[in-house]
Amino acid sequence: MKSKNHPLLGIHSLIMMVFIYVPIAFIIAYSFNSSRLAADWSGFTFDWYISLFSNRHVMEALSNSLIIAVVSTIVSTVLGTISALAIRKLGKKMKVGFGGLLYLPIIIPDIIMGLSLLVLFNQFQMPLGKITIIIAHITFSMSYVHVVITTRLIGMGNQLEEAANDLGAGAWQTFRYVTLPQIFPGIIAGALIAFTLSLDDFMVSFFVSGPSSTTLPIYIYGQVKRGISPEINALCTILILVSVTLIFLAQFMLNRGKGQKKQSVLPF
């Protein structure tokens, strides 16, 4: 017998969707407004996007964000994958303990994370800049990559690896031809999530950034304090589109990985 959802649940879901997405829709819509006044719609234009890409400060912030996101994504993806593979081989108690430690950066509030890293960098007398932001982003991004890879490893099971060992494959051959192809969609998905988190991060970056390491979210925050302009709406729109695209790509890779068959022809 199929259970029916209460009509109020549908209404509640609709209200929540409106509450979340209507403000975003307003930002996107007013990024095309030809008037500088948000309350006055004067016509459709792309001028704010054109002026945005000719703004030296925006281009500098974009360059900083991309450099930080690319470097932190590569390092966090490698470390997150290694940690997931290493913890998989541990005993149950050790696995729970180390796994819990890697979950902490996800659970801890961003403001606490940023403040603790600022104190750490001050203790080591590290000058704040791109390097400190990259280290900070690696710290929390690695945990998200670890979670995604761990989920893929749990879903994969041990059957194929055991079969490869029975056929005489060494540890490297088993990883290269069995484990890696199975978890590769998860690795790509984790990397995309890490890149998105790094690109969008404000709170942690705000604490550990220096004068010459302004990222796009920090630049937007600084401009909003002077008043919301159409250029900021355009910049926010671009960030929203990029973030949504990357998240959809990550979800696509995860779904693609789940759809793979577990049977394969071993090359040895």
Side-chain angles (χ1 to χ4, degrees), residues 2 19-20 30 42 57 66 91 98-99 105 130 134 136 138 143 160 178-179 189 196 203 209 213 243 262:
K2 295 183 179 180
F19 180 78
I20 293 172
Y30 278 102
S42 301
H57 298 293
L66 290 177
F98 281 103
K130 291 189 184 71
I134 289 171
I138 291 171
S143 297
L160 289 177
V178 179
T179 308
T196 306
M203 187 60 69
S209 63
S213 57
S243 300
K262 290 188 177 181

Side-chain angles (χ1 to χ4, degrees), residues 210-257:
S212 61
S213 57
T214 300
T215 61
L216 279 177
I218 295 175
Y219 175 81
I220 292 172
Y221 173 75
Q223 293 299 309
V224 166
K225 289 193 296 184
R226 305 174 186 175
I228 300 176
S229 65
E231 289 94 343
I232 295 302
N233 289 334
L235 185 55
C236 291
T237 300
I238 293 172
L239 280 176
I240 291 169
L241 293 177
V242 171
S243 300
V244 170
T245 301
L246 291 174
I247 292 299
F248 271 111
L249 283 174
Q251 188 61 50
F252 171 77
M253 293 304 300
L254 285 174
N255 292 337
R256 182 184 178 188

Side-chain angles (χ1 to χ4, degrees), residues 120-132:
L120 177 66
F121 295 142
N122 285 335
Q123 288 294 319
F124 284 97
Q125 297 182 350
M126 291 182 63
L128 299 181
K130 291 189 184 71
I131 300 298
T132 53

Side-chain angles (χ1 to χ4, degrees), residues 148 152 180-189 192 247-262:
V148 174
R152 289 291 303 148
L180 184 59
Q182 291 291 316
I183 66 173
F184 187 72
I187 293 174
I188 299 299
L192 290 170
I247 292 299
F248 271 111
L249 283 174
Q251 188 61 50
F252 171 77
M253 293 304 300
L254 285 174
N255 292 337
R256 182 184 178 188
K258 292 177 182 178
Q260 290 179 342
K261 293 183 179 180
K262 290 188 177 181

Side-chain angles (χ1 to χ4, degrees), residues 110-150:
D110 287 347
I111 190 170
I112 303 299
M113 189 81 173
L115 182 59
S116 62
L117 287 168
L118 176 60
V119 173
L120 177 66
F121 295 142
N122 285 335
Q123 288 294 319
F124 284 97
Q125 297 182 350
M126 291 182 63
L128 299 181
K130 291 189 184 71
I131 300 298
T132 53
I133 298 178
I134 289 171
I135 294 172
H137 286 195
I138 291 171
T139 303
F140 63 79
S141 297
M142 184 180 71
S143 297
Y144 287 90
V145 176
H146 171 83
V147 170
V148 174
I149 303 299
T150 299

Side-chain angles (χ1 to χ4, degrees), residues 160-170 172-178 264-268:
L160 289 177
E161 292 172 317
E162 292 173 356
N165 292 330
D166 291 341
L167 291 172
W172 170 248
Q173 286 179 307
T174 301
F175 173 76
R176 169 67 180 82
Y177 295 107
V178 179
S264 63
V265 179
L266 302 178
F268 37 76

